[in-house]
Amino acid sequence: MAAYVAPTTDIAFLLKEVFDFDGLTQTLPGYEDMDSDLAVSVLEEAGKFCAEVLEPLNRSGDEEGSTLKDGVVSTPKGFAEAYKAFVEAGWGGLSGDTEFGGQGLPSAIQLLFDEMVTSTNMAFGLFSGLTHGAVEAINHHASQELKERYLPKMISGEWTGAMALTEPSAGTDLGLLTTRAVPLGDGSFRINGTKIFISSGDQDVSDNIVHLVLARLPDAPKGVKGISLFLAPKYLVNEDGSLGARNGMSVGSLEHKMGIRAQPTCMMNYDGATAWMVGEPGRGLNAMFTMMNNERLFVGIQGLGIAEAANQKATSYALERLQGRGIDGAPGPVPIIQHPDVRKMLLTGRSFIDAARALGIWTAFQMDIASHHPDPEERKRADGFVALLTPVVKAAFTDGGLETAISSQMVFGGHGYIREWGMEQYVRDVRITQIYEGTNGVQAMDLVGRKLPMENGQLTARFIALLRQDLQDALSSPAAEHVAKATGKALDQLERATAQLMANQSDQSAAGVAATDYLRLFGLTASGWMWTKMAAKAPPDTPLGKRKLACADFYADRILPQAAALEVAIAAGSASTMALHKELF
């Protein structure tokens, strides 16, 4: 089985040629010392760490799984040691706030690092991924005292984070949650309740675990307006920063899951756990969504990471596996990559992966502009684009991740169904990405129901205008003209579908039925935009350039035509979907 190879050549092309990484960092205060050469060097080292330390634990961790015995959670053999090496190498603090000991690197580097970690060991990557999201929520909403007490060791990775939202009777509808927080009069609270599906809720890799818990105050109103957010550590922290007594929380059970079996997903019981409020009373969702939106982008990158790993393995296998006669009639056996259907599966995956990585980097740039640019109008504009693209990245990338994992498994034929080749683990692991942090159906409804109407539709209009201008500019490039024209047609279809949904906002059934189709159409078009940008910059006489140009043409010919069918489906409305009475299902 071929070992993982970090896609640093592709990354260097994106940072140096497609996007002006150096120009961006020079305009953003705090990033002036970072350039593309240094970024690529950091990521090359990251790739080595992931390939040498994390990938060897991926299959064994899946087979062993995390365990719970006598109230103690144990991760698979080698995970604690790998995590210690991860922390000692400084990987936990890449994009962390420098005020609290982080390295303050651009978001794109964090995103690309997260992709590599996921490609090699998705279950392991959740330890740092969830911590990063918790750090963001604390940094944006907690008191200075809580920041100073918890952020330095969370950013370093010595302490990890967990997000405790879901309850047995309160999943997506958080207004139903019943966990209670009682004030103690000294600024602290007692938390009582049970949460389920808590990734990294307990483990043995870090010294402490900082739980962010949604709960209600005694006088809180019903519904989401009555929810507050609380910080509850596994171990209480003494005034000198040392760890004190075990807090009032325990693991009721570990979930038995389809995938990411090495990651301990816990049912957590909070039995009088001491906690401190993060943000304002009744504004818990506002604070939690800082973490959730960060995590939704992270989950999208998980889809990309699994797709990259699966496609790499399938491509290597297809180059070596001999079977069948050549399409030119030559006697076999020939490498199966010569068979058209195998090539189509591999190219479908590759055309998704490269465009997704590019779109992810562009979104990360917007995140940094939104937080660092000196011009408030530029910050506002970039922040709007991040909000618009968050559900798209989360859902489109994870849909593509599963589809690529399945097609890569298919390249292996019967061997893909056998554990020893590792492909079935990719399929099992990536499936959760479409479900957690808000299912992809929820993301689609967020896009259609909340993001399209923002600014009276002007946010989406600005994004479409940006694409339109870039596609027009690319028509002057012979290499990019074909994919630019194909993407232009898809953009027309997206614009018409957008206008239809905006004109019928009061029709909730139509919006609900169209949402997933619209998000897919949005993702296809945005990926076409990225392929246009890559084709315009691809050096035609290099292996990388030839591969990019071939994939751009493939995307234009084989993938973008799906946009026409999606527009037709959206225009069909909801009548046929809603016609069947529920008793007849």
Side-chain angles (χ1 to χ4, degrees):
M1 191 68 170
Y4 169 77
V5 178
T8 49
T9 301
D10 184 78
I11 289 168
F13 167 67
L14 291 171
L15 296 182
K16 296 181 179 183
E17 305 298 334
V18 178
F19 304 113
D20 186 10
F21 182 83
D22 293 346
L24 175 74
T25 55
Q26 292 307 304
T27 64
L28 301 181
Y31 293 151
E32 301 92 342
D33 295 334
M34 173 59 62
D35 61 27
S36 55
D37 287 333
L38 179 56
V40 172
S41 295
V42 169
L43 291 167
E44 286 175 342
E45 290 304 310
K48 293 176 184 177
F49 178 86
C50 291
E52 295 170 4
V53 178
L54 301 186
E55 188 173 44
L57 298 174
N58 194 37
R59 180 183 162 195
S60 62
D62 176 69
E63 293 181 343
E64 182 180 344
S66 287
T67 57
L68 174 64
K69 184 177 181 180
D70 298 328
V72 176
V73 173
S74 299
T75 54
K77 182 179 179 181
F79 270 56
E81 293 79 6
Y83 189 80
K84 182 179 179 181
F86 177 94
V87 172
E88 290 177 348
W91 296 119
L94 283 184
S95 60
D97 192 332
T98 55
E99 179 184 352
F100 301 105
Q103 299 171 46
L105 300 184
S107 298
I109 298 178
Q110 181 70 57
L111 176 150
L112 293 164
F113 174 68
D114 289 339
E115 179 200 328
M116 294 178 184
V117 173
T118 301
S119 288
T120 50
N121 199 318
M122 179 175 160
F124 182 96
L126 280 162
F127 295 126
S128 58
L130 288 163
T131 303
H132 183 67
V135 164
E136 290 294 306
I138 294 168
N139 204 14
H140 280 83
H141 300 283
S143 67
Q144 189 65 24
E145 180 183 359
L146 288 178
K147 291 180 187 179
E148 292 175 355
R149 178 163 293 193
Y150 290 96
L151 287 185
K153 291 195 174 182
M154 292 181 73
I155 287 173
S156 72
E158 294 171 77
W159 297 353
T160 55
M163 179 169 58
L165 287 73
T166 307
E167 298 180 5
S169 60
T172 301
D173 188 355
L174 291 171
L176 298 175
L177 69 81
T178 60
T179 298
R180 297 289 171 178
V182 178
L184 297 180
D186 61 356
S188 66
F189 297 79
R190 287 272 189 259
I191 303 288
N192 287 280
T194 297
K195 301 286 186 177
I196 61 172
F197 304 157
I198 312 305
S199 298
S200 299
D202 198 21
Q203 33 79 3
D204 58 358
V205 306
S206 67
D207 296 334
N208 204 2
I209 307 169
V210 179
H211 291 234
L212 293 183
V213 186
L214 288 180
R216 294 184 186 281
L217 295 170
D219 58 350
K222 294 181 179 180
V224 296
K225 292 183 179 180
I227 298 173
S228 300
L229 181 65
F230 300 87
L231 183 158
K234 177 180 177 179
Y235 292 101
L236 299 175
V237 181
N238 298 320
E239 289 298 323
D240 63 0
S242 62
L243 296 182
R246 173 74 182 254
N247 207 350
M249 63 176 72
S250 61
V251 182
S253 64
L254 293 183
E255 308 291 356
H256 300 284
K257 309 186 298 293
M258 173 180 174
I260 54 168
R261 297 183 64 251
Q263 169 59 219
T265 305
C266 306
M267 172 188 283
M268 295 298 305
N269 296 317
Y270 300 93
D271 301 311
T274 302
W276 291 264
M277 187 177 291
V278 175
E280 302 173 12
R283 299 272 294 166
L285 283 187
N286 181 57
M288 181 59 83
F289 268 110
T290 298
M291 181 174 185
M292 288 187 69
N293 286 331
N294 184 285
E295 291 302 309
R296 284 170 176 173
L297 293 169
F298 169 67
V299 170
I301 299 307
Q302 286 184 313
L304 167 62
I306 291 292
E308 172 65 41
N311 185 265
Q312 278 193 24
K313 310 293 188 190
T315 300
S316 177
Y317 182 82
L319 287 166
E320 298 175 356
R321 172 69 166 169
L322 302 177
Q323 188 166 303
R325 299 182 57 160
I327 58 173
D328 58 358
V334 298
I336 62 172
I337 202 165
Q338 294 188 24
H339 301 316
D341 188 57
V342 172
R343 297 173 68 88
K344 186 173 73 171
M345 288 189 285
L346 294 174
L347 284 168
T348 298
R350 180 51 53 191
S351 67
F352 156 69
I353 292 162
D354 289 6
R357 183 178 295 117
L359 185 60
I361 290 173
W362 189 86
T363 305
F365 283 2
Q366 302 309 304
M367 293 169 66
D368 288 337
I369 293 170
S371 60
H372 286 77
H373 202 283
D375 185 343
E377 286 302 312
E378 286 296 317
R379 293 200 301 270
K380 180 180 178 182
R381 181 173 182 269
D383 192 55
F385 286 151
V386 174
L388 180 66
L389 285 173
T390 293
V392 178
V393 169
K394 194 282 184 185
F397 285 22
T398 58
D399 284 347
L402 179 65
E403 291 164 12
T404 302
I406 290 172
S407 63
S408 298
Q409 181 188 36
M410 184 66 76
V411 169
F412 281 75
H415 292 292
Y417 202 66
I418 303 302
R419 171 165 291 188
E420 284 74 9
W421 290 90
M423 304 308 292
E424 58 86 32
Q425 184 184 343
Y426 292 138
V427 175
R428 289 186 291 106
D429 282 354
V430 77
R431 184 65 176 95
I432 187 58
T433 63
Q434 297 175 301
I435 299 171
Y436 60 13
E437 301 303 339
T439 67
N440 286 0
V442 169
Q443 304 307 312
M445 285 304 300
D446 176 52
L447 176 64
V448 170
R450 294 183 64 247
K451 301 304 169 56
L452 292 193
M454 286 177 67
E455 301 179 36
N456 231 12
Q458 290 306 302
L459 172 60
T460 308
R462 280 199 302 276
F463 185 74
I464 289 175
L466 172 64
L467 270 62
R468 185 82 63 193
Q469 185 60 58
D470 279 0
L471 296 175
Q472 182 63 38
D473 294 344
L475 292 177
S476 61
S477 167
E481 182 180 9
H482 180 49
V483 69
K485 287 182 176 179
T487 304
K489 292 180 181 178
L491 186 60
D492 291 340
Q493 291 152 346
L494 177 66
E495 193 165 28
R496 289 193 294 266
T498 301
Q500 178 186 338
L501 291 171
M502 287 294 294
N504 296 286
Q505 290 183 55
S506 60
D507 188 345
Q508 294 299 307
S509 292
V513 169
T516 54
D517 290 332
Y518 180 82
L519 189 146
R520 191 172 185 90
L521 174 58
F522 200 113
L524 285 172
T525 307
S527 291
W529 172 45
M530 289 294 110
W531 272 117
T532 301
K533 295 173 79 70
M534 287 187 282
K537 296 292 185 178
D541 298 326
T542 67
L544 180 142
K546 291 176 181 178
R547 186 170 67 249
K548 295 295 181 187
L549 294 173
C551 285
D553 286 345
F554 176 87
Y555 193 83
D557 291 343
R558 303 293 311 184
I559 307 300
L560 277 172
Q562 297 172 21
L566 291 167
E567 184 193 8
V568 171
I570 292 167
S574 62
S576 60
T577 303
M578 305 306 295
L580 188 63
H581 192 277
K582 64 180 182 180
E583 302 297 335
L584 298 177
F585 271 86

